[in-house]
Amino acid sequence: MNRIVIFLAAIACTVAPLQASDWRQFRGPLSNGVSDETALPISFDASKSIAWKVNLPGRGLSSPIIVGGRVFVTCSSGPKQQRLHVICLNAADGSQRWERQFWATGRTMCHEKTSVAAPTPASDGERVFAIFSSNDIVCLDLDGNLVWVRGLGRDYPNASNSLGMSSSLVTADGVVIAQVENDSESFSAGLDALTGVNRWKLDRPRMANWTSPVLLKTSDGKQLAILQSGKGISAVEPATGKTVWEYGDGASTVPSSTPDGARLFVPSHGITVLEPGASGEAPKQLWRSAQLRPGTPSATILGQKVFALNDGGVLTCGDATSGQRLWQLRLKGPFSSTPVGAGAYLYCVNEKGLAQVVDTFKPEGEIISELDLGDTILSTPSISGGAIYFRSDKQLWKVGKS
Amino acid sequence: MKQKILLYLTIAGWLIPADTRSAPASGLSEPIQIIRAVGSEGRGNDEATRVWKQLAGADASQLIEILSALDGANDFAANWLRSAVDAIAARETAAHRALSLADLGKFLLDTRHEPRARRLVFELIARADATAAEKLLPGMLNDPSLELRHDAVQKVIDQAAQLFEAGNKPGATLLYQQSLAFARDVDQVDLVAKKLKDLGQPVDLPKHFGFLTQWKVIGPFDNAGAKNFDTAFPPENKIDLAAEYDGKSGKVRWQDFTTKHNYGMVDMNQPCGKLKGVLSYAYTEFFSDKAQPVELRLGGKNSWKVWLNGKFLFGRDEYHRNAEIDQYRMPATLQGGRNTILVKVCQNEQTEDWTVEWEFQLRVTDSLGTPIFSNPDATRQTALNR
């Protein structure tokens, strides 16, 4: 009995409950780019909408994450981007709480358009796990105390991609899940959230892969880690890495899958929607549409609609239940970042730093506001506390409630 | 009761952020030892987690002890140690307490210390006294820290540009030549070489970088389906420069190949033809004055393997992603006299126009990237020394 109490207490201590405004990972709490906040700005004014902006000490495409009123962002600097930064700011005013730097232990070479701080960190509410293209992973508590470091590029010296890695982290069941997939030493790993040691390590298809894992809730309330690759999808148990089901009809290696409840929107032959059955059962294909074809940005599900944005800026809206294409809207592109949204509105920022608010309730969709941030932005925005966060290689902006 | 009090004190300690806490001076040898013992695959992380706060909470007077622990530390331990330094420095800054510039300066100027630790110290000094840091830079043109050297070289490059703008071309030429002598980062070398070319002083880039340009090559062998990366064709078993083998489409034999490429690219399309689904080998000999640690540095966008004196060093099975000078750094030890270097370079069957390249570049350097040149007289000298 005592052991059970201690075990439950340990779990309670290791995972903090999600605060309403937390945005703990790439594309938000459910990895679908959607916030349930209702007080976000829908009309931008360059002179009033920016609550604060701060200069960053290095490059980065990673999204900021927000945990308990603190903003965490990663950067890379130095002649070869071998300096890795993790920075913590107060969400209220952008003031810096702390910064830690690390030296890359893996290769930092990447395409000039991306950077070593491409993947987005993740948090379990107590700790922040930050990964870089060099496959270095550091874990810090929210106060900046170092918990552990790993150098997966050093441990597994052929685990790298000469164009750069970008797969973000997710964490579940006391495990941090990293997809380190490339043409050579390709694997995914589950690292113990408290110590960083391998809980499991899976050989993965030897092909370059820039997608990020997502978590999918099953009908029986469990979570599965969804690992996407050019071959398809592998759904694994976060704690053990045991494969529960697979989908083998191919998938993109750039945009990631998007969960929506128990459904999984996979960038495969356009978009293919899967619905897993009971544990271990192969997923059922609900629909597939070649007309919904995301480019670099991943699909976003807002209410009953699914949105696919191509690199040029054509936003296609489809019915999330049937896949039927409803309308298309040309935004001002080009785009690398994934749209995020809340309620009726999508927030899309193009590579030139022009943020665009789309009212998706209009019959054909409509851009209702724009904000020119004036710098190249390839990073996906984050939403928290009535504000949207954008970052470039040089700056981080909080747009909305101050 | 006593245990409960201890527990409350411990919890209170956890709740205080590292940036605001300062522990009384105490022995750091044990936590340093524990942290220096961390290793690959997370070994020692659990113990290191336990003691890291002790380091981060150390008195500022113990900063040099922690910095010194970076000397010889492995890269994992180095990150644990430097983050403790960050925490201490941030705490002192927040408390408006100055770090001892005298201690930091002494550490910085002792080039036996870990180069990255010295760079970290330089930045701590710069935060406290930017003017002094700026004045130190010119003395760091030949520094073992690549980042310090980079900034010192950049200063000279900037001064050369100013002289050029002022119409002083001879002065600009001299400063560019000085910067080139010390530059190790490719971006700086490229920039300076271009400036010197514009000034009528072209740079022999292959010589400057020390690329190996004289090779014997043989091929093509079959690599259909990119499946023969791990297949050992005869040159992997024995180097016989007079031998003839069955290649992919007939007999193949060793032939001389000299690259005149500015960046030492050994282009297999030239001796073998523009082929797909093939592989070839390149062989050269490197004469070293003495047994010495070096780095073999390779760049290329094809799959490759390298052997030094018959011993496999490293290989990379990746095609057409990206290439740059010094893309892969392989620590190795040269023997005095003759050394053999064998490179296997593979081509896959992609058809895009950016997949034509079937090539590599290789040079031998010290750990900073300073080229080490082959000395054909070394064999005779080595024999005499015996």
Side-chain angles (χ1 to χ4, degrees), chain B residues 108-113 115 118 136-156 178-184 188 366-371:
Chain B
L108 172 68
L109 296 177
D110 186 347
T111 55
R112 292 170 301 179
H113 286 304
R118 291 179 50 250
L136 284 168
L137 266 184
M140 296 174 171
L141 272 175
N142 199 24
D143 202 276
S145 157
L146 281 170
E147 279 197 80
L148 289 172
R149 176 189 288 254
H150 180 279
D151 287 358
V153 167
Q154 192 59 48
K155 211 170 166 61
V156 180
Q178 185 194 27
S179 64
L180 186 68
F182 295 105
R184 294 293 178 271
Q188 288 184 326
D366 66 11
S367 61
L368 283 177
T370 311

Side-chain angles (χ1 to χ4, degrees), chain B residues 194-236:
Chain B
K194 184 175 178 304
K195 296 289 183 189
L196 285 170
K197 187 181 176 190
D198 293 344
L199 286 162
Q201 301 287 332
V203 177
D204 183 342
L205 281 171
K207 188 176 174 189
H208 179 83
F209 281 110
F211 289 115
L212 305 188
T213 57
Q214 310 274 336
W215 295 84
K216 298 273 188 187
V217 299
I218 190 167
F221 294 95
D222 180 52
N223 190 33
K227 288 180 176 167
N228 285 333
F229 179 72
D230 286 324
T231 303
F233 289 92
E236 291 183 38

Side-chain angles (χ1 to χ4, degrees), chain B residues 11-133:
Chain B
I11 291 170
W14 289 344
L15 294 176
I16 299 169
D19 287 354
T20 60
R21 186 164 43 115
S22 175
S26 62
L28 297 181
S29 58
E30 189 194 347
I32 284 173
Q33 195 179 355
I34 287 170
I35 280 180
R36 281 176 59 100
V38 298
S40 59
E41 296 193 308
R43 273 194 292 278
N45 271 351
D46 48 355
E47 282 291 285
T49 306
R50 186 174 62 76
V51 299
W52 183 86
K53 282 186 182 177
Q54 217 176 315
L55 285 191
D59 192 86
S61 63
Q62 296 171 296
L63 201 58
I64 299 299
E65 186 180 354
I66 301 172
L67 285 162
S68 300
L70 279 153
D71 296 343
N74 68 51
D75 281 350
F76 306 114
N79 272 326
W80 281 94
L81 293 165
R82 87 145 287 166
S83 60
V85 173
D86 285 342
I88 293 168
R91 184 195 68 216
E92 295 301 300
T93 302
H96 304 290
R97 289 193 295 264
L99 298 172
S100 165
L101 287 186
D103 290 346
L104 292 175
K106 191 176 167 192
F107 186 92
L108 172 68
L109 296 177
D110 186 347
T111 55
R112 292 170 301 179
H113 286 304
E114 155 67 30
R116 293 176 304 181
R118 291 179 50 250
R119 170 67 192 202
L120 173 56
V121 164
F122 176 80
E123 291 176 12
L124 294 177
I125 292 171
R127 276 185 228 161
D129 189 342
T131 309

Side-chain angles (χ1 to χ4, degrees), chain A residues 83 98 100-103 109 145-147 149-150 154-156 158 160 162-163 183-184 195 206 208, chain B residues 18-19 40-42 45 49 52 75 79-80 82-83 86 123 147 315-318 321-323 327-328:
Chain A
R83 304 267 290 269
W98 51 261
R100 298 286 179 264
Q101 284 190 42
F102 302 90
W103 292 305
M109 179 184 184
N145 294 304
L146 186 58
V147 182
V149 298
R150 285 294 303 271
R154 179 61 60 87
D155 290 342
Y156 313 108
N158 251 318
S160 70
S162 299
L163 287 173
D183 291 331
S184 193
T195 65
R206 289 179 57 189
Chain B
D19 287 354
S40 59
E41 296 193 308
N45 271 351
T49 306
W52 183 86
D75 281 350
N79 272 326
W80 281 94
R82 87 145 287 166
S83 60
D86 285 342
E123 291 176 12
E147 279 197 80
R316 174 82 179 147
D317 194 9
E318 180 188 65
R321 293 299 179 198
N322 212 350
Q327 192 171 351
Y328 303 97

Side-chain angles (χ1 to χ4, degrees), chain A residues 122-140:
Chain A
S123 174
D124 60 5
E126 294 286 325
R127 287 158 284 268
V128 170
F129 311 98
I131 184 171
F132 297 84
S133 175
S134 57
N135 293 316
D136 287 291
I137 305 181
V138 299
C139 171
L140 297 140

Side-chain angles (χ1 to χ4, degrees), chain A residues 205-267:
Chain A
R206 289 179 57 189
M207 57 176 73
N209 184 5
W210 294 273
T211 68
S212 296
V214 298
L215 298 171
L216 180 69
K217 281 197 173 156
T218 59
S219 53
D220 54 2
K222 292 180 182 169
Q223 286 195 106
L224 292 175
I226 302 298
L227 309 178
Q228 179 181 322
S229 75
K231 290 195 171 177
I233 297 289
S234 297
V236 306
E237 291 178 354
T240 64
K242 181 187 165 194
T243 300
V244 178
W245 55 259
E246 289 188 299
Y247 161 81
D249 201 13
S252 174
T253 55
V254 178
S256 303
S257 292
T258 307
D260 181 57
R263 297 180 300 176
L264 186 68
F265 289 65
V266 182

